[in-house]
């Protein structure tokens, strides 16, 4: 073996062979840096440098089912088995955003970025400019609960810029994250944080004949295995398994109504054609969502702090009621305090409470706690809540202006009525913030005046001089005892759980509001009766309703264009058996059609679909890899009844089995093979091979009659044999297992051998690249 390797130039150079604590099931190289993200069997996410230095390890708490890098390599998307999609910062592993976009396990992710600007009819680049920074300072950060350490409660540190980096998407190129779950749902989100559309393969209608006729066909028991957006975002290839049935008629054809793996081509041209409009809406909407999180966290922190302070007050003053009962009195604490304020004889209960139970130190401590909490609430409002509400109102105003441009934005679902309603709610939130500040200031003043009076009383009861104490107002003490002693207007305004609480307003104020409505500007006449927390809930509902319309509109325009059955299976296998079948989808620029229009910025790409054909699918096809290209190369050809679809069957040597495969650089495929052996798991050899996919002997596949027929049998007479001696091969003295992770940007590969070992290779070694990587 060593002699064979020394006789030819090795395209692979082994760099590392490291043991691992647990077997790895998912691995992805960073597209921009020499970083490898891995998911172990115990659902830990590990990030390593090329030199195998571990940067961080995180445990999401749920089973990780998929992994994908953002195109710029600065964030990583993680799909979980409960349908949650989480985004993590590559620098420190901090959770940036968590979305519940699915109800089932997310089995595949694909994140594509638009690399070309769209030009208008005058060939001028059209670019969106975010104007918020002209009028406002940087967006406020999420407040952190005092006393918590970094990362507790999900709140960010004051010096953490991860949240801002995710929300400041104006500098990012337009990118779309596509996710698919095991129930057949596919979701699209711009920047990975703004849901823009969804579809379900069970509800798609599939074209079946050359005349473009459609029948009512649907998938049964279908699940998605892989999705891949094209480089120009116009098409989406979906690999899914299921039974395709026809509800209207039954056609007797070979392989029809059998369970197997299919390929779907979805038309997502709306993402490209309206990407400028979508970028602007997503920019504003995603930032509004971030600001909404700031408001939500601010209200939560404020409610918690004020509740803790009031608990301290009530815990101390509740003992007065017990003392009154113990002394046999039939009065309330307010009545006893009013009697003391009026100069009547002090009851023994009040005397004991003020002198012994509470004391001067107790009054000062409670006063410090309440006043400190009030000042902290004011700080959070001024530094977090109010700036977030102001920027939110401005961004909604921007969207309102865009919604009035119906020619451009009505087509993506930006509804003027819904946006105007949400804009009004954003303005009403500012009104509620101003009212809350006035109420808070008044309450703090009355509590301070009440405590000053208590200190004065304690000094008098103890016959001590009280000239150095702050003065108090008897009138405010009466108001406090009547309205605030057993009530808490601040908590009522903040407590989200008390959504049914209404603020009382006088008839004169209500009449003035109705008069203002007649002059225009707003239509809500009941906003003064709502609390701050209730107003925020109304705001969230209006945002959800306004942004649901673009989501619904885009979803309707994502249609199925083509169907390609890959291979049948004789029976319904377990879902895990299909996930072990090596598959890969990628797009390469088509050099024969590279002369595209400059003004449109379109670049023709050709798709490559590679997969291992299970031996049980066809009796006369064994140990083969199929490579299909041009599945959706030219949709015009498909509409005219013929196709440029080409495919090739590649027969693997009889002693080897394909473990995994991946597309690498332009038109190259990396195969990971294992040599068959009947001995122990550790025995046997493996190898990696590079194939030039564009040089393979492709055969055109006729699809003029029906598109839901298994066509692989047509290729058995033109099967090409894979000869290890003719290809770029690296022999591995181990039995290897999936996954195979390949990075086209650095020429890196990582395979996982048996006994939990990772092998890191350099593909097609280049001295400059290797020195940079090291």
């Amino acid at each position: 073996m060593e002699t064979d390797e020394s006789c030819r130039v090795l395209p692979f150079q082994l760099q590392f062979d490291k043991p691992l604590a647990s077997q790895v099931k998912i691995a992805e190289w960073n597209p921009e840096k020499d970083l490898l993200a891995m998911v172990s069997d115990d659902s830990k996410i590990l990030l390593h440098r090329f030199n195998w230095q571990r940067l961080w390890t995180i445990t999401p708490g749920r089973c990780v089912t998929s992994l994908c890098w953002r195109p710029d390599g600065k964030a990583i998307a993680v799909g979980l088995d409960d349908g949650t999609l989480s985004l993590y910062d590559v620098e420190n592993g901090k959770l940036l955003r968590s979305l519940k976009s699915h109800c089932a396990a997310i089995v595949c992710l694909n994140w594509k970025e638009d690399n070309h600007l769209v030009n208008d009819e005058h060939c001028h680049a059209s670019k969106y400019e975010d104007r918020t920074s002209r009028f406002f300072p940087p967006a406020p950060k999420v407040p952190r609960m005092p006393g918590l350490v970094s990362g507790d409660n999900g709140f960010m540190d004051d010096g953490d810029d991860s949240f801002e980096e995710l929300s400041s998407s104006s500098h990012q190129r337009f990118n779309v994250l596509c996710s698919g779950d095991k129930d057949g749902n596919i979701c699209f989100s711009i920047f990975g944080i703004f849901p823009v559309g969804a579809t379900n393969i069970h509800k798609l209608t599939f074209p079946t004949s050359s005349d473009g006729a459609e029948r009512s066909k649907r998938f049964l028991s279908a699940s998605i295995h892989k999705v891949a957006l094209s480089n120009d975002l116009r098409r989406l290839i979906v690999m899914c398994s299921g039974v395709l049935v026809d509800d209207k008629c039954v056609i007797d054809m070979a392989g029809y109504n059998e369970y197997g793996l299919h390929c779907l081509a979805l038309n997502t041209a709306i993402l490209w054609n309206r990407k400028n409009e979508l970028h602007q809406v997503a920019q504003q909407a995603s930032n509004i969502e971030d600001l909404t999180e700031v408001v939500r966290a601010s209200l939560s922190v404020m409610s918690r702090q004020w509740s803790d302070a009031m608990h301290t007050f009530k815990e101390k003053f509740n003992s007065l009621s017990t003392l009154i009962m113990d002394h046999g009195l039939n009065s309330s604490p307010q009545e006893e305090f009013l009697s003391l304020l009026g100069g009547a004889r002090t009851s023994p209960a009040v005397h004991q409470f003020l002198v012994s139970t509470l004391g001067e130190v107790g009054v000062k401590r409670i006063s410090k706690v309440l006043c400190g909490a009030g000042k902290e609430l004011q700080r959070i409002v001024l530094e977090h809540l109010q700036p977030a509400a102001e920027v939110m109102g401005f961004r909604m105003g921007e969207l309102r202006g865009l919604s009035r441009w119906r020619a451009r934005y009505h087509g993506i679902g930006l509804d003027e009525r819904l946006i105007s309603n949400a804009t009004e709610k954003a303005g009403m939130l500012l009104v509620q913030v101003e009212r809350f500040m006035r109420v808070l200031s008044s309450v703090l003043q009355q509590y301070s005046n009440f405590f000053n009076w208590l200190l004065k009383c304690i000094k008098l009861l103890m016959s001590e001089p009280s000239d150095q104490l702050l003065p108090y107002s008897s009138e405010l003490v009466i108001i406090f005892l009547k309205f605030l002693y057993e009530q808490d207007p601040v908590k009522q305004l903040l407590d989200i759980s008390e959504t049914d609480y209404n603020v009382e307003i006088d008839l004169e104020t209500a009449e003035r509001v109705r008069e203002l409505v007649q002059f225009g500007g707003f239509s809500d006449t009941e906003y003064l009766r709502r609390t701050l927390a209730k107003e925020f809930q109304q705001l969230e509902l209006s945002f959800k309703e306004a942004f649901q319309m673009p989501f619904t509109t885009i979803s309707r325009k994502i249609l199925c264009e083509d169907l390609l059955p890959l291979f049948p299976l004789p029976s319904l296998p377990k879902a895990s058996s299909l996930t072990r079948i090596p598959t890969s989808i990628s797009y390469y620029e088509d050099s024969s059609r590279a002369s595209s229009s400059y003004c449109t910025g379109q670049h023709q790409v050709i798709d490559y679909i590679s997969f291992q054909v299970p031996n049980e699918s066809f009796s006369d096809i064994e140990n083969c890899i199929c490579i299909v290209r041009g599945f959706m190369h030219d949709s015009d050809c498909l509409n005219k009844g013929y196709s440029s679809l080409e495919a090739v069957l590649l027969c693997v040597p009889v002693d080897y089995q394909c473990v995994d495969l991946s597309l690498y650089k332009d038109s190259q495929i990396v195969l990971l093979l294992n040599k068959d052996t009947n001995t122990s798991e550790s025995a046997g050899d493996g190898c990696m091979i590079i194939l030039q996919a564009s040089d393979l002997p492709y055969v055109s596949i006729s699809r003029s009659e029906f598109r839901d027929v298994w066509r692989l049998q047509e290729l058995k007479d033109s099967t090409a044999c894979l000869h290890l001696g003719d290809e770029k091969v690296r022999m591995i003295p181990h039995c290897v297992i999936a996954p195979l992770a390949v990075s086209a940007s650095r020429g890196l590969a990582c395979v996982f051998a048996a006994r939990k070992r990772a092998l890191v290779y350099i593909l097609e070694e280049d001295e400059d690249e290797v020195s940079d990587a090291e």
Side-chain angles (χ1 to χ4, degrees):
M1 184 182 299
E2 294 180 356
T3 304
D4 294 339
E5 289 184 357
S6 60
C7 294
R8 61 179 183 270
V9 178
L10 294 177
F12 308 88
Q13 178 183 355
L14 178 61
Q15 295 294 311
F16 296 102
D17 181 358
K18 295 291 184 180
L20 299 172
S22 181
Q23 185 60 54
V24 173
K25 62 180 181 179
I26 305 174
E28 294 287 345
W29 285 103
N30 187 301
E32 296 294 331
K33 304 176 183 178
D34 296 326
L35 299 174
L36 179 67
M38 298 177 292
V39 178
S40 58
D41 278 337
D42 54 357
S43 287
K44 291 183 179 179
I45 305 174
L46 307 93
L47 188 68
H48 283 264
R49 291 189 185 276
F50 173 73
N51 60 6
W52 218 247
Q53 173 192 2
R54 183 176 296 185
L55 296 183
W56 46 257
T57 301
I58 56 177
T59 305
R62 303 282 303 186
C63 179
V64 179
T65 53
S66 54
L67 193 72
C68 180
W69 285 99
R70 196 167 72 179
D72 62 3
K74 294 182 179 180
I76 189 168
V78 177
L80 304 180
D81 63 346
D82 65 344
T84 301
L85 178 62
S86 301
L87 305 183
Y88 292 91
D89 187 358
V90 67
E91 295 295 334
N92 49 27
K94 181 175 287 292
L95 178 64
L96 299 175
R97 180 69 66 81
S98 184
L99 304 174
K100 194 68 167 63
S101 53
H102 294 265
C103 296
I106 301 176
V107 296
C108 55
L109 294 168
N110 184 243
W111 209 333
K112 284 293 184 179
E113 182 177 78
D114 169 46
N115 295 319
H116 309 286
L117 294 176
V118 172
N119 302 325
D120 58 21
E121 61 273 13
H122 303 292
C123 292
H124 295 150
S126 177
K127 185 179 178 182
Y128 168 65
E129 178 187 4
D130 184 14
R131 304 189 306 164
T132 311
S133 58
R134 296 185 186 179
F135 306 99
F136 295 93
K141 301 176 183 179
V142 177
R144 186 164 60 93
M145 189 77 72
L148 295 182
V149 298
S150 175
D152 285 347
N153 245 15
F155 298 131
M156 305 291 179
D157 290 329
D158 290 339
D160 190 358
D161 294 329
S162 301
F163 193 78
E164 290 186 4
E165 191 277 333
L166 181 69
S167 62
S168 300
S169 50
S170 58
H171 66 279
Q172 298 180 22
R173 290 182 180 270
F174 183 76
N175 60 75
V176 178
L177 175 62
C178 180
S179 57
D181 63 32
K182 67 176 184 179
D183 287 346
N185 297 294
I186 304 173
C187 297
F188 303 85
S189 56
I190 300 175
F191 308 131
I193 56 179
F194 176 64
V196 72
T199 188
N200 188 295
I201 61 175
H202 297 93
K203 301 177 181 179
L204 295 174
T205 301
F206 305 101
T208 56
S209 60
S210 59
D211 58 1
E214 294 183 350
R215 299 188 180 97
S216 178
K217 304 180 70 66
R218 57 191 176 94
F219 271 118
L220 295 179
S221 304
S223 59
I224 297 174
H225 298 275
K226 189 161 292 189
V227 293
L229 274 169
S230 62
N231 295 0
D232 59 5
L233 309 179
R234 292 174 177 271
R235 301 289 188 274
L236 176 74
I237 290 181
V238 182
M239 297 185 74
C240 59
S241 58
V243 180
L244 190 64
V245 298
D246 194 327
D247 292 340
K248 291 185 177 180
C249 60
V250 178
I251 303 175
D252 186 14
M253 62 179 69
Y256 183 71
N257 279 0
E258 287 189 17
Y259 182 91
L261 192 67
H262 303 256
C263 240
L264 305 179
L266 302 187
N267 185 342
T268 58
I270 183 69
L271 300 177
W272 167 270
N273 297 334
R274 310 304 295 271
K275 68 177 182 178
N276 282 337
E277 293 84 351
L278 290 173
H279 184 278
Q280 295 178 57
V281 174
Q283 162 68 28
Q284 301 291 1
S286 59
N287 277 271
I288 288 172
E289 177 62 28
D290 295 336
L291 295 168
T292 303
E293 181 63 29
V294 174
V295 175
R296 182 185 295 108
S298 299
L299 293 176
S300 177
V301 173
M302 291 162 62
S303 180
R304 172 75 177 275
Q305 287 187 303
W306 185 256
S307 296
D308 291 344
M310 290 303 299
H311 176 74
T312 302
F313 171 78
K314 292 179 180 179
E315 185 180 33
K316 200 67 174 178
F317 277 78
N318 283 343
S319 60
L320 177 57
S321 300
T322 305
L323 289 174
I324 293 174
M325 294 177 61
D326 292 343
H327 285 81
L329 301 177
N330 188 18
S331 59
S332 65
Q334 295 97 315
E335 292 172 345
E336 292 294 331
F337 281 133
L338 287 173
S339 178
L340 177 63
L341 180 64
R345 186 170 62 88
T346 306
S347 68
V350 173
H351 189 282
Q352 181 180 348
F353 173 74
L354 293 179
V355 176
S356 303
T357 306
L358 185 61
E360 182 180 352
V361 176
V363 173
K364 290 181 178 180
R365 185 175 69 87
I366 298 176
S367 177
K368 182 179 179 180
V369 170
L370 268 171
C371 293
K375 291 180 180 179
E376 183 63 20
L377 261 61
Q378 292 174 333
R379 185 192 67 82
I380 293 176
V381 170
L382 295 176
E383 296 182 6
H384 301 276
L385 179 57
Q386 187 171 357
E390 290 174 349
V391 179
M392 192 185 301
F394 176 82
R395 290 191 176 277
M396 286 306 307
E398 292 276 271
L399 284 177
R400 186 182 183 185
L402 296 178
S403 66
R404 294 184 174 182
W405 192 353
R406 295 190 175 184
R408 288 191 61 178
Y409 293 92
H410 186 72
I412 62 170
L414 204 63
D415 186 87
E416 181 180 355
R417 180 185 61 83
L418 297 178
I419 295 296
S420 296
N421 179 59
T423 305
E424 179 179 316
K425 290 294 189 293
M428 295 305 178
L429 181 65
L430 275 173
V431 174
Q432 299 288 4
V433 170
E434 292 291 340
R435 180 171 66 175
F436 173 79
M437 288 293 284
R438 292 196 302 269
V439 172
L440 177 61
S441 178
S442 174
V443 169
L444 290 178
Q445 180 186 4
Q446 296 192 49
Y447 268 105
S448 178
N449 181 79
F450 176 68
F451 291 138
N452 291 337
W453 173 67
L454 286 183
L455 284 175
K456 189 84 169 182
C457 293
I458 293 174
K459 289 290 187 180
L460 292 175
L461 292 175
M462 299 180 67
S463 301
E464 294 181 358
S466 58
D467 297 338
Q468 302 299 324
L469 297 177
L470 294 175
Y472 67 90
S473 171
S474 300
E475 183 180 354
L476 289 181
V477 173
I478 296 174
I479 295 175
F480 175 84
L481 293 173
K482 185 176 181 180
F483 297 105
L484 294 180
Y485 186 83
E486 291 185 347
Q487 298 181 17
D488 189 358
V490 175
K491 183 178 185 297
Q492 290 171 341
L493 291 176
L494 289 177
D495 197 347
I496 297 180
S497 62
E498 298 183 8
T499 54
D500 296 329
Y501 175 78
N502 291 325
V503 179
E504 294 183 2
I505 59 173
D506 55 88
L507 295 177
E508 182 181 356
T509 303
E511 183 61 29
R512 289 179 60 190
V513 170
R514 285 191 289 268
E515 291 176 357
L516 288 174
V517 171
Q518 296 178 358
F519 288 97
F522 65 95
S523 59
D524 188 0
T525 61
E526 296 297 322
Y527 71 95
L528 288 179
R529 300 184 184 274
R530 292 193 291 267
T531 65
L532 177 59
K534 182 67 174 180
E535 192 67 57
F536 176 65
Q537 288 186 333
Q538 294 270 336
L539 178 68
E540 284 192 300
L541 290 175
S542 66
F543 284 167
K544 183 178 181 180
E545 185 180 14
F547 297 143
Q548 182 66 28
M549 188 62 71
F551 180 90
T552 304
T553 303
I554 299 298
S555 299
R556 292 197 193 102
K557 298 184 179 182
I558 298 175
L559 305 174
C560 182
E561 281 191 338
D562 200 5
L563 166 68
L564 175 65
L566 299 180
F567 56 80
L569 291 172
S571 61
L572 295 177
K574 295 181 179 179
S576 58
S577 63
L578 271 177
T579 58
R580 292 195 294 266
I581 296 177
T583 58
S584 184
I585 306 175
S586 189
Y587 302 87
Y588 296 138
E589 186 170 338
D590 187 2
S591 58
S592 63
R593 306 193 179 196
S595 56
S596 57
S597 172
Y598 172 77
C599 290
T600 61
Q602 300 178 16
H603 288 251
Q604 294 290 339
V605 293
I606 186 169
D607 54 89
Y608 281 79
I609 304 170
S610 305
F611 56 93
Q612 181 188 17
V613 183
N615 292 336
E616 61 269 23
S617 297
F618 300 99
S619 59
D620 48 359
I621 298 178
E622 292 187 356
N623 203 20
C624 285
I625 295 172
C626 183
I627 303 173
V628 181
R629 70 176 183 181
F631 172 41
M632 53 185 189
H633 187 207
D634 193 341
S635 59
D636 293 335
C637 294
L638 297 176
N639 294 332
K640 294 177 182 177
Y642 61 91
S643 170
S644 60
L645 182 68
E646 297 177 322
V648 62
L649 277 180
L650 193 60
C651 185
V652 179
V654 67
D655 294 337
Y656 288 87
Q657 289 292 331
C658 180
V659 177
D660 205 353
L661 51 85
S662 180
L663 290 139
Y664 167 68
K665 290 190 174 180
D666 291 336
S667 302
Q668 291 181 328
I669 296 178
V670 179
L671 299 179
L672 187 62
L673 305 180
N674 257 350
K675 193 170 185 179
D676 289 338
T677 178
N678 295 324
T679 59
S680 64
E681 181 184 4
S682 59
D685 297 328
C687 66
M688 280 197 301
I689 308 175
I690 288 185
L691 299 178
Q692 192 68 29
S694 58
D695 295 339
L696 296 174
Y698 292 94
V699 176
S700 296
I701 298 180
S702 172
R703 304 175 65 203
S704 58
E705 293 298 328
F706 297 98
R707 294 174 178 172
D708 50 2
V709 180
W710 312 108
R711 294 291 187 180
L712 291 186
Q713 287 180 324
E714 299 177 4
L715 304 175
K716 64 180 181 179
D717 296 332
S718 56
T719 301
C721 295
L722 176 64
H723 300 285
L724 301 186
D726 299 337
E727 307 294 343
K728 298 178 180 180
V729 181
R730 171 74 189 211
M731 304 304 297
I732 303 173
H734 300 283
C735 175
V736 293
I737 62 175
L740 166 66
V742 175
S743 170
S745 61
R746 285 291 189 180
L748 299 173
C750 184
V751 301
F752 295 87
R755 293 185 178 179
K756 302 174 183 177
R757 301 188 66 84
L759 310 177
V760 180
Y761 290 87
I762 292 287
L763 303 185
E764 296 185 335
E765 178 184 356
D766 182 274
E767 294 182 359
D768 295 334
E769 289 189 355
V770 174
S771 62
D772 291 341
E774 295 177 345

